[in-house]
Amino acid sequence: MTVICSTGVHDKHDVYALQCPCRDVLDLLANKWAALAIGALEDGPVRFGELQRRLQGISPKVLTNTLRRLEDSGFINREIYAEVPLRVEYSLTDLGHSVSAPLSGLRSWVEAHLHEIS
Amino acid sequence: MTVICSTGVHDKHDVYALQCPCRDVLDLLANKWAALAIGALEDGPVRFGELQRRLQGISPKVLTNTLRRLEDSGFINREIYAEVPLRVEYSLTDLGHSVSAPLSGLRSWVEAHLHEIS
DNA sequence: CAGCATCCCGTGTGATACTG
DNA sequence: CAGTATCACACGGGATGCTG
């Protein structure tokens, strides 16, 4: 088992302790849309409307919430172009790109084991 | 980008479509405790009480809910030993073990990038 | 010991309509 | 186009007490 929290954890089983900061990250990523939104941005900047099209079924409000949370945590950038019509592009930060790797791993696993899941 | 859903998806951006079955798995894993519970079982069978100790802060009810969901989805086994006192052991199935790999990847990433996250 | 029963609450999610 | 406003709701999660 890999020790998650290097700080103040001596018993390896305490890595799941309430105080473990990895909780925050898991909580952030562990919602219905965040992981998918990051995946949808892997190829480069995407506009709001296009994001909504890719994340089929998401409402504008929920998309906004998701993006704001990811932005506040430093995973994505929000660039506003004062054009007509208005253009807003979302893109992954370096941090966002780096987390997309393990997330891809998870999605690949899903693809590979889909048939085994009830 | 890796195509997640091999079935009926031809536009690579539609992998995030509402019908994508990977949603179910993400929904299952994407709650507060499931990923951590799987991690807590990586080393072998664990009893209910020990699980509650490792997942510090979880209540019995929530732990039961989490375990039931994971059991129903085929990620863990529940073994009952009719002893006195009663003993119930939880362990990962093969499927559970296989998913713990990508989950470890995610947790490792958290460990490595913790300092970069606000 | 390993849970179930019960009550409660916050919030994530959703549908729809509206605006700068 | 890119959101915001509003209302509504199910569900995850928590606290406490009780049971086979």
Side-chain angles (χ1 to χ4, degrees):
Chain A
M1 182 192 298
T2 314
V3 172
I4 306 176
C5 308
S6 41
T7 341
V9 174
H10 297 98
D11 180 350
K12 70 169 183 173
H13 288 138
D14 286 344
V15 295
Y16 305 106
L18 184 64
Q19 298 75 19
C20 175
C22 72
R23 280 282 178 77
D24 303 333
V25 180
L26 278 171
D27 285 352
L28 178 69
L29 264 27
N31 66 59
K32 187 166 184 176
W33 299 103
L36 296 171
I38 290 177
L41 289 172
E42 275 176 355
D43 290 341
V46 181
R47 303 178 61 173
F48 187 91
E50 171 66 14
L51 266 179
Q52 191 174 7
R53 195 187 71 81
R54 293 192 189 179
L55 277 56
Q56 202 173 326
I58 196 171
S59 74
K61 191 195 70 171
V62 174
L63 180 54
T64 300
N65 286 348
T66 304
L67 293 171
R68 289 285 183 278
R69 257 176 302 184
L70 290 175
E71 187 189 1
D72 291 344
S73 306
F75 288 101
I76 66 174
N77 283 131
R78 181 168 179 267
E79 200 87 24
I80 308 171
Y81 300 90
E83 304 171 355
V84 179
L86 183 61
R87 181 162 61 103
V88 178
E89 282 192 344
Y90 296 89
S91 57
L92 291 184
T93 61
D94 290 344
L95 189 66
H97 270 115
S98 84
V99 81
S100 79
L103 284 181
S104 289
L106 195 56
R107 294 201 306 271
S108 299
W109 180 90
V110 171
E111 179 190 12
H113 293 82
L114 202 53
H115 58 283
E116 306 174 33
I117 304 172
S118 54
Chain B
M1 182 192 300
T2 314
V3 171
I4 306 177
C5 308
S6 42
T7 339
V9 174
H10 297 99
D11 179 350
K12 68 170 184 173
H13 289 138
D14 286 343
V15 295
Y16 306 106
L18 185 63
Q19 298 73 21
C20 174
C22 73
R23 279 284 177 75
D24 304 333
V25 180
L26 277 171
D27 284 353
L28 178 70
L29 263 28
N31 66 57
K32 187 166 185 176
W33 299 104
L36 295 171
I38 290 176
L41 289 173
E42 275 176 355
D43 290 340
V46 181
R47 302 179 62 175
F48 188 90
E50 171 66 12
L51 266 179
Q52 191 174 7
R53 196 188 70 79
R54 293 191 187 180
L55 277 58
Q56 203 173 322
I58 197 173
S59 73
K61 190 196 71 170
V62 175
L63 179 54
T64 300
N65 285 348
T66 304
L67 292 171
R68 287 287 181 279
R69 257 176 300 179
L70 291 174
E71 187 188 2
D72 291 343
S73 306
F75 288 101
I76 65 175
N77 283 131
R78 182 169 179 268
E79 199 87 25
I80 308 171
Y81 300 90
E83 306 171 354
V84 179
L86 183 60
R87 181 162 61 106
V88 178
E89 281 192 344
Y90 295 90
S91 57
L92 292 183
T93 61
D94 289 343
L95 189 65
H97 271 115
S98 84
V99 81
S100 79
L103 284 181
S104 290
L106 195 57
R107 294 201 306 271
S108 299
W109 179 91
V110 171
E111 179 188 12
H113 293 81
L114 203 54
H115 58 284
E116 305 174 35
I117 304 172
S118 55

